[in-house]
């Protein structure tokens, strides 16, 4: 298993090219199940989650090949409708295949994703959505067994909360349902209009994506297309938080500033200078960031996927910060690890009170999930001495070329292989 060794006392400085979005690429890849033929998706990051999903699509009968930054997927000949536990357990986004398989093959058998380190993370809204479209669903031996022998029928669906995954899954299924579907209280995250644009390029009729009411007019037989991915707002945000907390100066290039408004406002509150252009954001950090209050929320609120990184910043800010997690009440696995580095954090349910220190102390810590890993790398940069972060396989799920990008920005991070202790 690999670990990262981060040398403290460095600052991030320079330009960094932002990769294509992981969380937009995954549903767009799955949407190809609706469109027989060869679809080209441009700007797909080379990440472990993309490889895992490619393997799942191949199991279903698709062919997937990488051509430089593009992914080319051919779903002409589907041979299976089953998403097995072994793959789903490593990547929850596998649940996305449920809607498209139901729409195209009229049946699907998809393993339940199971628990997660930060709470139950249910998929009930995905299931309710499919049932509203006329599918029959049963849970058998850990699998969702769904069928729609007479096809799916459009419906008016009100989501209990604006789930990104449920919105995407319903949007894909409804694209080939009979009649019109409305998704009310839909997620507005940028990954949703990105998926809608891809579906529309394939011949779907999706309107209103990016607002709370999405209208999908079912179309018969989508077809392959060439589609674009959007930039990764969380990757960009992670480097920009790094600039703000190391007194650095980073320009994230090839990003979409409108997707990061909440982050830019918060970084400005820390005393950083934030400037933007059409496709770039530059953050010049203060000598020491000021403490701040952050509450995560659905888009366009502050993203939960940047909460851990902000907690790393708060650990070295001047004053007491309060971070409230409203999306996943237990998403705090990074807290004990930051505390090992000397951070002063009191956790009370979903509220973390962080008393900033002028610096942290290097230590051995463990990455527990993707964004927690990113937070620990940032924290290691402001710690005295070396920070050893084990289980960095999490970071490979979601940050393309992270070591090279950090090195280009002046960080000293090396990957080492840890011997297995049995
Ligand atoms: N929820 C339900 N029932 C459902 C679905 C969701 O109660 O059927 C709840 C969740 O438990 C959570 C809230 O709804 O409290 C929002 O979850 P959502 O469905 O929006 O999340 P997701 O689609 O499972 C995506 C990203 C996550 C990101 C969240 C929130 C992908 C592959 N994943 O997950 O990204 O945190 O939206 O923005 O797009 C990451 O990249 O590190 C990551 C975890």
């Amino acid at each position: 298993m690999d670990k990262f060794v981060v040398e403290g006392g460095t600052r991030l400085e320079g330009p960094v090219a932002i990769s294509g979005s992981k969380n937009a690429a995954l549903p767009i890849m799955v949407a190809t199940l609706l469109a027989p033929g060869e679809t080209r998706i441009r700007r797909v990051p080379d990440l472990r989650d993309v490889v895992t999903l490619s393997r799942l699509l191949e199991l279903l009968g698709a062919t997937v090949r990488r051509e430089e930054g593009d992914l080319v997927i051919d779903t002409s000949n589907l041979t299976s409708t089953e998403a097995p536990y072994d793959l789903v357990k490593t990547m929850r986004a596998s649940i996305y295949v449920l809607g498209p398989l139901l729409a195209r093959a009229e049946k699907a058998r998809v393993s339940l994703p199971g628990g997660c380190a930060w709470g139950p993370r249910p998929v009930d809204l995905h299931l309710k959505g499919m049932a509203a479209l006329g599918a029959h669903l049963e849970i058998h031996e850990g699998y969702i067994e769904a069928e729609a022998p007479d096809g799916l029928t459009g419906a008016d669906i009100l989501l209990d909360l604006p789930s990104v995954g449920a919105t995407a899954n319903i949007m894909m299924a409804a694209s080939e349902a009979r009649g019109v579907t409305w998704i009310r209280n839909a997620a507005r995250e940028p990954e949703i209009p990105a998926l809608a644009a891809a579906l529309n390029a394939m011949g779907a009729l999706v309107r209103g994506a990016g607002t709370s009411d999405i209208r999908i007019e079912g179309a018969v037989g989508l077809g392959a297309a060439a589609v674009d991915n959007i930039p990764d707002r969380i990757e960009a945000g992670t480097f920009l938080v790094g600039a703000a907390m190391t007194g650095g100066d980073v320009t994230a290039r090839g990003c979409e500033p409108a997707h990061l408004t909440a982050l830019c406002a918060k970084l400005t509150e820390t005393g950083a200078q934030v400037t933007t252009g059409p496709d770039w954001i530059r953050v010049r950090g203060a000598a020491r960031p000021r403490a701040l209050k952050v509450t995560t929320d659905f888009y366009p609120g502050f993203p939960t996927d940047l909460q851990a990184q902000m907690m790393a910043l708060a650990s070295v800010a001047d004053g007491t910060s309060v971070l409230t997690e409203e999306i996943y009440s237990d998403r705090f696995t990074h807290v004990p690890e930051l505390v090992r580095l000397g951070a002063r954090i009191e956790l009370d349910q979903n509220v973390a009170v962080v008393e900033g220190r002028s610096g942290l102390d290097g230590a051995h810590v463990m990455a527990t999930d993707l964004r927690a890993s990113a937070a620990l790398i940032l924290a290691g940069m402001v710690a005295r001495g070396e920070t050893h972060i084990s289980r960095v396989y999490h970071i490979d799920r979601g940050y393309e070329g992270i070591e090279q990008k950090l090195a280009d920005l002046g960080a000293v991070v090396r990957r080492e292989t840890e011997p297995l202790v049995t």
Side-chain angles (χ1 to χ4, degrees), residues 22-23 121-125 161 163-165 305 327-328 371:
K22 165 179 86 78
N23 288 347
R121 292 190 77 189
V123 291
D124 56 315
L125 301 177
L161 47 85
S163 152
V164 176
D305 291 343
I327 306 298
Y328 296 107
R371 309 303 172 188

Side-chain angles (χ1 to χ4, degrees), residues 12-19 43 231-232 235-243 249-255 279-283 399-410:
L12 293 183
E13 190 167 7
V16 59
I18 299 308
S19 296
R43 201 179 179 186
D232 197 307
E235 186 204 18
T238 300
F239 288 117
L240 297 174
V241 173
D249 181 355
V250 169
T251 303
R253 289 196 178 147
C255 66
D279 66 348
W280 56 266
I281 304 175
R282 180 177 182 188
V283 170
Y399 288 88
E400 188 179 46
I402 179 90
E403 291 139 281
Q404 191 57 50
K405 288 187 182 184
L406 284 169
D408 290 348
L409 291 171

